[in-house]
Amino acid sequence: MTTSVQKSHIHRTVLNNGIVVLVAENPAADIIAARIFIRAGSCYENQEQAGLAHLLSAVLTKGCEGLSSLKIAEQVESVGASLSADTATDYFLLSLKTVTSDFAEILSLASRILRSPTFPETEVELERRIALQDIRSQQEQPFTIAFDQLRDAMYQNHPYARSVLGNEATMSRLTRKDLVEYHQTYFRPDHVVISIAGRITPENAIALVERVFGDWQHATQPLQKLDLPELNVEPQIKIKPQQTQQSIVMLGYLGPSVLSADYAALKLLSTYLGNGLSSRLFVELREKRGLAYEVSAFYPTRLFPASFVVYMGTAPENTQLALFGLQTEVDLLSTAQLEEDALQAAKNKILGQYALGKQTNAQIAQIYGWYEILGLGIDFDRNFQETITSVTALDAMTAASRYLREPYVSLVGQEEAVNSAIVYFNS
């Protein structure tokens, strides 16, 4: 039995086979965007198969039952539509956008691609070679090296330790058989969320999805829940001497998932510290002290414990000062409450950016589908804004005291510069 519920302007329906359908009617433009989320990101890979979900996303649109890669591309491009696949840590994604009159045709194509990909051997080999080139290219980028060794220290055997690309060893040994097995295991209707926004009524959208996907039967056996390792690694220091023009200085703190009551406070602190030219790190360490080529902070939204990261690119001779400056600014969050105007400015910034991130049909389809696949529900949209608004200076300081005390440190740069910074840090 199909069940429906209306929440604000989002209509949520669950089909008989378990597919969740979200519809936001927006007649402003003659365009429909859809996001098809599958609970099958890189978290669901075996460690020995790291990069498998990424490879699957690269090959998925390169052939399906009855259609070659070229035929798929011609069908999409002949109507000016877009269709692409991507993977993240917590989910897999198929994205499409068309004018209203072509939506049914492209959604039907997406269904064929999703349900019966052929994974041609030549395409698998080509995309694997491209992925290996990407992996090698990233190994030459100081920021990526620093971030990789930081994640490795923080997460160790947890999937969040890995790049979605995997590494050269794991990517090199992936086979077409691995793709088929992964697809058969995780691509099932009770793991799918279809989020649609544009010039279409909820009734028409649901009828269309029912027609296109309704006969997709889910497997009878339940999937095993993810068995992820506990994260209790002591903070440590990782360095990578390299002949670079600048040092990358990175501090990481193990923060909570999006499900935590402290999530909003840490999201606010990340914005305050390192989001934009008016952020604390930019003003204090770049503008006033001239230490940074670049400086920022980020705290991604994750289903499992997330990393709160601050980083700086600086001249080699400033590596020690940069490390001290970054840690000092983060430590201040635990010892001094934010001034009310600084707290309000951070709230205004995060809520303004959040509102601007829901302007297009593609953005609307993305954000609500994302909430649904993470298990947050469409109410999270309102709850997040209300929670950000209600965070007090004391809440922020309490969250900082709980999570932002003992950093993991990652340094990449000239050997003398990074070694002297570590000697200082340990003293």
Side-chain angles (χ1 to χ4, degrees):
M1 178 181 167
T2 299
T3 56
S4 299
V5 62
Q6 178 81 35
K7 289 277 191 178
S8 64
H9 65 295
I10 306 294
H11 195 288
R12 182 183 186 274
T13 299
V14 184
L15 303 187
N16 293 337
N17 59 4
I19 292 177
V20 178
V21 184
L22 307 176
V23 186
E25 184 178 1
N26 180 16
D30 187 28
I31 289 171
I32 301 177
R35 296 289 186 269
I36 304 175
F37 289 84
I38 302 99
R39 209 164 283 111
S42 59
C43 260
Y44 296 79
E45 303 163 341
N46 297 325
Q47 192 164 353
E48 300 74 31
Q49 295 181 319
L52 180 56
H54 169 81
L55 184 60
L56 193 146
S57 73
V59 180
L60 188 73
T61 58
K62 299 302 172 62
C64 63
E65 196 174 309
L67 291 175
S68 66
S69 176
L70 181 59
K71 288 291 185 188
I72 291 171
E74 286 176 347
Q75 190 171 337
V76 173
E77 292 170 9
S78 66
V79 294
S82 65
L83 175 67
S84 62
D86 198 8
T87 195
T89 52
D90 297 326
Y91 59 85
F92 188 95
L93 180 63
L94 193 66
S95 305
L96 56 134
K97 185 170 69 172
T98 77
V99 295
T100 304
S101 59
D102 297 318
F103 182 61
E105 177 192 346
I106 300 301
L107 187 68
S108 296
L109 175 62
S111 174
R112 291 175 69 180
I113 289 169
L114 205 58
R115 294 165 65 178
S116 56
T118 50
F119 303 127
E121 286 279 11
T122 53
E123 298 287 356
V124 173
E125 187 55 38
L126 173 63
E127 293 300 335
R128 188 175 56 189
R129 282 207 303 271
I130 292 171
L132 285 168
Q133 288 171 1
D134 290 342
I135 291 168
R136 290 168 190 140
S137 172
Q138 288 193 358
Q139 288 170 349
E140 297 172 2
Q141 298 168 15
F143 174 88
T144 304
I145 294 167
F147 189 46
D148 282 351
Q149 70 180 8
L150 182 73
R151 282 188 309 196
D152 186 57
M154 293 176 73
Y155 289 102
Q156 298 211 336
N157 294 324
H158 192 285
Y160 283 0
R162 309 190 293 261
S163 162
V164 293
L165 286 170
N167 57 51
E168 282 196 68
T170 59
M171 181 60 70
S172 295
R173 59 175 175 253
L174 293 177
T175 66
R176 180 182 180 278
K177 181 171 176 284
D178 296 328
L179 295 172
V180 171
E181 288 177 355
Y182 186 88
H183 178 268
Q184 289 176 345
T185 302
Y186 294 108
F187 282 57
R188 41 192 275 175
D190 53 337
H191 272 215
V192 171
V193 173
I194 300 178
S195 182
I196 299 169
R199 186 177 287 182
I200 190 168
T201 65
E203 296 74 22
N204 288 344
I206 291 159
L208 176 60
V209 173
E210 185 86 71
R211 189 171 82 241
V212 172
F213 289 93
D215 63 339
W216 190 7
Q217 297 305 307
H218 65 75
T220 51
Q221 75 274 18
L223 271 176
Q224 286 186 332
K225 291 204 173 208
L226 280 177
D227 183 21
L228 299 177
E230 289 289 320
L231 295 172
N232 52 11
V233 185
E234 287 296 312
Q236 53 189 279
I237 299 166
K238 290 285 189 85
I239 64 171
K240 175 78 172 178
Q242 197 174 55
Q243 277 306 111
T244 57
Q245 296 303 306
Q246 62 174 308
S247 295
I248 300 294
V249 180
M250 196 173 283
L251 305 182
Y253 303 81
L254 203 56
S257 80
V258 65
L259 304 174
S260 167
D262 292 319
Y263 167 78
L266 286 172
K267 204 72 176 171
L268 204 53
L269 288 175
S270 170
T271 299
Y272 162 76
L273 267 185
N275 185 332
L277 306 186
S278 62
S279 67
R280 172 79 184 186
L281 295 179
F282 192 92
V283 171
E284 293 296 321
L285 301 182
R286 180 184 163 106
E287 294 296 286
K288 290 185 179 178
R289 299 180 62 188
L291 287 176
Y293 298 137
E294 58 174 332
V295 64
S296 191
F298 56 90
Y299 170 54
T301 301
R302 292 287 182 265
L303 197 50
F304 304 106
S307 47
F308 187 108
V309 177
V310 295
Y311 73 92
M312 186 193 300
T314 190
E317 63 271 19
N318 290 332
T319 306
Q320 184 175 307
L321 287 172
L323 179 56
F324 177 74
L326 280 176
Q327 187 175 25
T328 299
E329 292 300 333
V330 177
D331 286 348
L332 273 173
L333 301 177
S334 303
T335 56
Q337 288 191 22
L338 296 189
E339 297 288 337
E340 199 54 46
D341 58 344
L343 181 68
Q344 191 58 51
K347 289 180 180 181
N348 294 344
K349 185 186 294 185
I350 198 169
L351 291 174
Q353 290 173 344
Y354 185 76
L356 289 171
K358 296 190 298 178
Q359 296 299 298
T360 67
N361 288 330
Q363 289 171 328
I364 293 167
Q366 172 74 28
I367 201 161
Y368 288 104
W370 181 46
Y371 292 157
E372 184 69 35
I373 203 70
L374 292 183
L376 302 170
I378 53 182
D379 283 341
F380 185 77
D381 177 57
R382 184 187 72 250
N383 295 341
F384 172 71
Q385 296 173 79
E386 290 175 352
T387 308
I388 288 290
T389 302
S390 65
V391 172
T392 66
L394 181 58
D395 293 335
M397 189 170 78
T398 302
S401 299
R402 186 171 294 149
Y403 298 102
L404 308 181
R405 299 297 294 168
E406 295 290 328
Y408 299 78
V409 179
S410 177
L411 298 178
V412 174
Q414 295 176 17
E415 187 166 6
E416 185 180 349
V418 295
N419 283 336
S420 63
I422 291 306
V423 169
Y424 149 76
F425 189 79
N426 286 328
S427 62

